[in-house]
Amino acid sequence: DVAVFQQMLIFTLLVMAGLYARHKRLVTDESQAQISGIVVRIAYPAIILSGAITDEPHVTGTELLFTFGVTLALLIFLLAGAWILPRILLRYEKKYYTVVNLMTMFSSIGFMGVPMIDALYGKGALIYITVFLIPFNLLFYSYAMTAIKGGAGSGFRLRDVLNEGMLACFLAVPLYLANVQVPYALQATLHMLGAMTAPLAMLLMGALLADMDWRGMFSDVRIWAFSLVKMIILPAAVVLALGRFVDSPVLLGVCMAAIATPVGNGLALLAAMYNKEAYPVSMKGITLTTLVAPITMPIAYWLAGLA
């Protein structure tokens, strides 16, 4: 699909700008953390809320409830694929089961999926991804954090879930259903803040890639196989299966954008803190899936019949 390819090309150029910024030390380890905070705590919530107060035609509450059901089905498919991939298809050592499982499930929805949906389908489609993000984030802060720690203790903390992004998701749904009209100044402010999400997120990805062991990654056959399954085969298969029950091409496109994006870089942060043995694998997965995304995403869209 030309539109998908063009959007991924834009993202790739932004990532290259991030590589350059890191090389010139315009972005440092300290500033990476600060920029990440701006994206996660300001820009990302703003783009979610701007989708809820859009002037575009609204979907009904019944349609949103149906979207939630599609989201649950999507997560079940992902859980099944994430369990099979490291154990049966790729035959990773047992110590890597968890990190490959999480890399399969948790894509870069906030950093790449949300701005991509905004660019491809408009602000009216953001409500779909908002419904998806609520159970996704709950799973990340419970299942993912517990799993990466090896199941020791409780990985779930309420204060982790009650972050700005999650609060924006919970607030966006009633605002959208009530069709709340907000002053133009507030609407424009949210739109401008939300517009920062894609550029800053891609700059961060580029800066992250600059620290990668490229030779080790390119020679790892299993991470190439993982990227093929995670970025093309699994998304296309899941969306084709959902297409038997979902008529809306926009909803299916949103599902595709949510699961065919690269591995989320939050997993590398978790691995660095709680499972250093898994950290190199997580970095390889994030880096390679980010590099191949401009090619794999249009292919996945085409295979699923969305092109």
Side-chain angles (χ1 to χ4, degrees):
D1 184 73
V2 176
V4 177
F5 176 77
Q6 288 182 334
Q7 193 57 46
M8 291 308 303
L9 181 59
I10 293 169
F11 284 167
T12 301
L13 293 173
L14 290 172
V15 168
M16 290 173 65
L19 278 166
Y20 176 80
R22 178 66 173 173
H23 177 70
K24 293 296 184 180
R25 297 199 58 77
L26 299 173
V27 177
T28 63
D29 289 336
E30 181 180 345
S31 62
Q32 274 183 261
Q34 293 169 338
I35 296 171
S36 181
I38 292 173
V39 173
V40 172
R41 304 183 69 176
I42 297 177
Y44 173 58
I47 198 173
I48 292 295
L49 289 174
S50 68
I53 57 175
T54 179
D55 293 328
E56 296 187 22
H58 280 40
V59 300
T60 65
T62 302
E63 289 174 294
L64 285 187
L65 188 61
F66 177 74
T67 301
F68 185 73
V70 171
T71 300
L72 294 181
L74 182 66
L75 288 173
I76 291 171
F77 279 125
L78 284 178
L79 281 167
W83 188 90
I84 292 170
L85 189 56
R87 291 168 173 81
I88 298 175
L89 294 181
L90 301 181
R91 298 188 178 277
Y92 268 95
E93 294 88 343
K94 190 174 182 179
K95 61 184 177 181
Y96 296 128
Y97 282 0
T98 295
V99 69
V100 178
N101 180 302
L102 298 179
M103 287 195 303
T104 306
M105 283 199 61
F106 296 102
S107 301
S108 186
I109 301 177
F111 275 23
M112 187 176 286
V114 170
M116 184 167 181
I117 291 164
D118 185 25
L120 289 177
Y121 301 108
K123 300 226 173 282
L126 288 175
I127 192 63
Y128 291 123
I129 197 65
T130 300
V131 172
F132 179 82
L133 282 166
I134 293 172
F136 176 88
N137 282 335
L138 287 172
L139 267 179
F140 182 81
Y141 286 110
S142 54
Y143 171 68
M145 294 191 74
T146 301
I148 204 72
K149 292 177 181 180
S154 174
F156 179 84
R157 295 182 303 179
L158 185 60
R159 66 182 181 182
D160 288 329
V161 176
L162 295 179
N163 54 52
E164 291 86 349
M166 187 59 120
L167 291 174
C169 288
F170 280 122
L171 183 59
V173 175
L175 282 176
Y176 183 87
L177 290 175
N179 198 16
V180 174
Q181 301 298 310
V182 301
Y184 171 77
L186 177 58
Q187 187 172 356
T189 300
L190 288 172
H191 178 74
M192 293 178 71
L193 288 173
M196 297 193 304
T197 306
L200 289 181
M202 295 307 105
L203 285 173
L204 282 172
M205 283 191 176
L208 184 70
L209 299 186
D211 299 326
M212 184 60 201
D213 173 16
W214 295 93
R215 181 177 296 180
M217 181 193 70
F218 283 127
S219 61
D220 189 334
V221 176
R222 274 190 295 199
I223 208 66
W224 279 98
F226 165 80
S227 298
L228 174 66
V229 176
K230 186 258 180 291
M231 299 293 285
I232 298 179
I233 297 174
L234 183 62
V238 169
V239 173
L240 280 171
L242 291 175
R244 298 178 65 86
F245 310 98
V246 179
D247 295 327
S248 169
V250 174
L251 178 53
L252 289 174
V254 168
C255 290
M256 176 63 77
I259 60 178
T261 46
V263 176
N265 56 10
L267 289 176
L269 300 177
L270 286 181
M273 289 188 291
Y274 303 119
N275 192 337
K276 289 183 170 51
E277 193 173 34
Y279 179 75
V281 176
S282 68
M283 279 301 300
K284 288 179 183 179
I286 292 166
T287 303
L288 190 57
T289 54
T290 300
L291 287 176
V292 302
I295 299 171
T296 58
M297 287 196 73
I299 293 173
Y301 269 81
W302 176 75
L303 288 175
L306 298 176

